[in-house]
C-alpha cells in the first residue's frame, strides 16, 4: 500500500481497533487459480502471535480456500471510514486557488499464510464466536444453539475454516495531515456537516492535533 509518512499509522493497538471495527474484510491471494478475492467477516485474536491472528471461514464450494491450503500468502484489507474532500473546504482555494479534490480514508492491510481446517468442533466454536460478536447489543440476540443441532452440523460440513497469523501489518489514516491547519479545519467542518455517515465519522477521526 502506498503510504506517505504523513499518513502512516504504526500503533498496533490502533490498527487492531480498526480491524475490530470493520464488519467485513476483503481477503485476496494469488495461486494456481489466479487472483482471487473473498469478502468475509473475520475475528481477531490480538494476543496470538506477533501482530495477532485472524479467524474466518469460506463456503466449501468457494475454491479460494484451496489456494490458501497450499500456503500461498494472503492479503487482508480492512476498510474504515472514507469520504470525498471538496476543494471549496480549503481556505487555500480563496487565497491562491491551487487546490484539487481528493479522497480521505482509513485502511489496514494485513499479510499472512493461513492454516485451513474443517474439524467440526473447531468450526462450531468459530461460528459461535462470530455470531455472538455480531449479535451483541440486540434485544433478542440469536445464538448458534438456537438452531437444531442436526441443521448446524449440516451447515458446518458446508464450510472450511482458517487461522491466519498476521506476519506484516500496515495502516493508512489519510486525514489531510499534509495540509495546513486551516485547510484541515475546513475539511473537518465540511465532513462534519455531510449527510453521509462515513464522512461524519472521518470528521471525528480528525482532531485539532492531527
Amino acid at each position: 500500500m502506498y503510504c506517505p509518512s504523513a499518513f502512516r499509522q504504526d500503533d498496533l493497538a490502533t490498527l487492531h481497533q480498526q480491524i475490530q471495527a470493520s464488519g467485513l474484510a476483503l481477503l485476496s491471494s494469488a495461486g494456481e487459480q489466479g487472483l482471487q478475492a473473498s469478502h468475509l467477516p473475520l475475528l481477531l485474536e490480538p494476543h496470538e502471535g506477533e501482530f495477532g491472528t485472524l479467524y474466518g471461514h469460506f463456503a466449501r464450494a468457494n475454491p479460494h480456500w484451496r489456494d490458501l491450503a497450499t500456503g500461498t500468502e494472503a492479503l487482508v484489507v480492512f476498510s474504515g471510514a472514507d469520504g470525498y474532500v471538496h476543494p471549496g473546504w480549503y481556505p487555500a482555494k480563496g487565497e491562491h486557488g491551487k487546490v484539487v479534490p481528493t479522497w480521505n480514508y482509513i485502511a489496514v492491510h494485513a499479510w499472512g499464510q493461513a492454516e485451513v481446517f474443517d474439524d467440526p468442533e473447531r468450526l462450531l466454536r468459530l461460528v459461535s464466536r462470530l455470531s455472538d460478536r455480531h449479535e451483541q447489543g440486540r434485544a433478542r440476540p440469536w445464538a448458534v444453539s438456537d438452531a437444531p443441532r442436526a441443521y448446524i452440523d449440516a451447515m458446518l460440513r458446508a464450510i472450511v475454516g482458517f487461522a491466519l497469523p498476521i506476519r506484516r501489518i500496515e495502516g493508512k489514516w489519510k486525514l489531510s495531515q499534509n495540509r495546513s491547519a486551516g485547510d484541515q479545519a475546513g475539511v473537518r467542518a465540511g465532513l462534519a456537516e455531510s449527510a453521509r455517515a462515513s464522512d461524519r465519522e472521518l470528521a471525528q477521526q480528525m482532531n485539532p492535533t492531527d
Side-chain angles (χ1 to χ4, degrees), residues 77-95:
V77 177
F78 299 89
S79 297
D82 70 272
Y84 175 78
V85 176
H86 167 55
W89 292 339
Y90 296 137
K93 179 180 182 295
E95 297 168 5

Side-chain angles (χ1 to χ4, degrees), residues 35-57:
L35 285 170
Q36 296 205 66
S38 295
H39 298 267
L40 306 167
L42 300 179
L43 286 173
L44 170 68
E45 283 293 347
H47 304 300
E48 287 188 15
E50 183 179 4
F51 300 114
T53 298
L54 299 168
Y55 288 88
H57 63 82

Side-chain angles (χ1 to χ4, degrees), residues 101-179:
T102 189
W103 207 279
N104 280 1
Y105 59 91
I106 291 172
V108 176
H109 288 192
W111 290 260
Q113 293 172 293
E115 170 214 351
V116 173
F117 60 87
D118 61 4
D119 173 70
E121 289 305 313
R122 193 175 179 188
L123 286 172
L124 179 61
R125 290 193 296 271
L126 171 59
V127 297
S128 296
R129 292 177 59 210
L130 272 168
S131 297
D132 290 347
R133 176 191 171 192
H134 294 291
E135 290 288 331
Q136 286 180 5
R138 297 182 185 275
R140 299 181 63 184
W142 181 88
V144 170
S145 57
D146 290 348
R149 181 58 194 254
Y151 172 77
I152 294 299
D153 288 344
M155 293 295 98
L156 294 176
R157 290 192 292 271
I159 64 174
V160 176
F162 65 89
L164 193 152
I166 299 173
R167 295 188 175 182
R168 181 161 62 101
I169 188 167
E170 293 181 357
K172 185 173 183 179
W173 265 238
K174 185 175 180 292
L175 302 173
S176 301
Q177 299 97 318
N178 59 332
R179 305 295 307 190

Side-chain angles (χ1 to χ4, degrees), residues 158-209:
I159 64 174
V160 176
F162 65 89
L164 193 152
I166 299 173
R167 295 188 175 182
R168 181 161 62 101
I169 188 167
E170 293 181 357
K172 185 173 183 179
W173 265 238
K174 185 175 180 292
L175 302 173
S176 301
Q177 299 97 318
N178 59 332
R179 305 295 307 190
S180 68
D183 283 354
Q184 289 182 40
V187 172
R188 186 166 56 247
L191 290 170
E193 294 174 357
S194 172
R196 187 169 176 263
S198 187
D199 290 350
R200 298 194 301 274
E201 183 180 343
L202 272 179
Q204 292 177 355
Q205 294 279 352
M206 297 175 65
N207 63 64
T209 61

Side-chain angles (χ1 to χ4, degrees), residues 3-70:
C3 190
S5 58
F7 307 140
R8 185 174 297 118
Q9 176 58 258
D10 294 320
D11 181 69
L12 185 60
T14 301
L15 298 175
H16 280 175
Q17 184 178 29
Q18 182 57 51
I19 288 175
Q20 300 277 29
S22 299
L24 195 68
L26 174 66
L27 188 154
S28 62
S29 66
E32 293 182 358
Q33 303 174 82
L35 285 170
Q36 296 205 66
S38 295
H39 298 267
L40 306 167
L42 300 179
L43 286 173
L44 170 68
E45 283 293 347
H47 304 300
E48 287 188 15
E50 183 179 4
F51 300 114
T53 298
L54 299 168
Y55 288 88
H57 63 82
F58 293 94
R60 188 176 289 275
N62 182 347
H64 195 169
W65 68 267
R66 299 184 184 277
D67 278 346
L68 293 190
T70 69

